[in-house]
Amino acid sequence: MSTATPANPAVRPPRWARKSTLVLVTVLLALAVFGTTTQSWIDVRLDPASASSSDLHVQGSKAATAVTALALVALAGGLAASIAGRFSRWIIAAIIALSAAGIIVAAATVLAAPLAAAQGSIAAATGISGGQAAATATVFPLLAVVAASLLAVCAVVLPPAGRHWKSRTKYDVSAGARQAGTGPVDEIDSWDSLSRGEDPT
């Protein structure tokens, strides 16, 4: 007569599903996006006929202001995922995915029309609109798109990966100790049991 073999709790999840790996990658990608916004996204020459180098360098935080905020949202989401429950992880995954999509759209807009994205910085620097100025995008908006795309992948992977994560609370530990009869029940545990409607005796 055969009996069902219980799942081995010691089996480690696959590398891609490990909490430390996924959370770390998500955080690093969000920081990478944020880091690109501190660099020059657009180089502007106010006089295209001039042979001089660029007159103005527009940082990503000014060329696409939403990217900085969205990167911080994704960063917070990645950190929150490490302590969130199963249902909360779905919400966090959606937030990270939406943040990644917003970053991609904003960075792609800069790549498609760098002069339009630089108009505010040009006006602040010269007091007039861009006019005949020439603007070219640097590599950093593209790097932001790549990092945000990988961030979206992390958001998709987060819910299924979370199924492999085990989280134990103080209540789980104390209840397990009472059931096994191997741990003492102190006054705090007794009050916790009463609050859950259990009889600590």
Side-chain angles (χ1 to χ4, degrees):
M1 181 177 177
S2 61
T3 58
T5 302
N8 184 1
V11 175
R12 300 190 66 182
R15 185 176 297 273
W16 65 268
R18 293 177 186 173
K19 180 188 292 189
S20 57
T21 300
L22 187 55
V23 170
L24 179 61
V25 171
T26 302
V27 169
L28 290 178
L29 288 171
L31 288 174
V33 174
F34 182 82
T36 64
T37 64
T38 65
Q39 305 300 314
S40 175
W41 277 31
I42 305 172
D43 292 333
V44 180
R45 286 198 333 185
L46 300 176
D47 183 5
S50 173
S52 62
S53 59
S54 301
D55 301 303
L56 182 64
H57 303 282
V58 183
Q59 285 187 338
S61 58
K62 297 180 180 178
T65 55
V67 172
T68 301
L70 292 172
L72 292 177
V73 170
L75 174 61
L79 294 174
S82 63
I83 59 174
R86 179 173 298 182
F87 179 74
S88 299
R89 282 194 291 268
W90 280 95
I91 299 175
I92 292 171
I95 292 173
I96 295 175
L98 290 174
S99 298
I103 292 168
I104 293 172
V105 170
T109 301
V110 173
L111 289 170
L115 181 58
Q119 286 296 334
S121 297
I122 295 173
T126 65
I128 57 175
S129 60
Q132 299 299 317
T136 56
T138 67
V139 70
F140 290 103
L142 181 59
L143 293 178
V145 170
V146 173
S149 299
L150 295 175
L151 199 58
V153 173
C154 290
V156 172
V157 171
L158 178 59
R163 298 174 184 172
H164 298 276
W165 301 353
K166 296 184 181 298
S167 59
R168 299 190 67 187
T169 65
K170 176 180 180 297
Y171 300 110
D172 298 328
V173 175
S174 61
R178 288 196 303 274
Q179 290 176 1
T182 58
V185 179
D186 57 19
E187 294 181 359
I188 296 177
D189 291 330
S190 299
W191 279 110
D192 290 339
S193 298
L194 287 172
S195 67
R196 297 195 300 275
E198 300 174 359
D199 184 1
T201 61

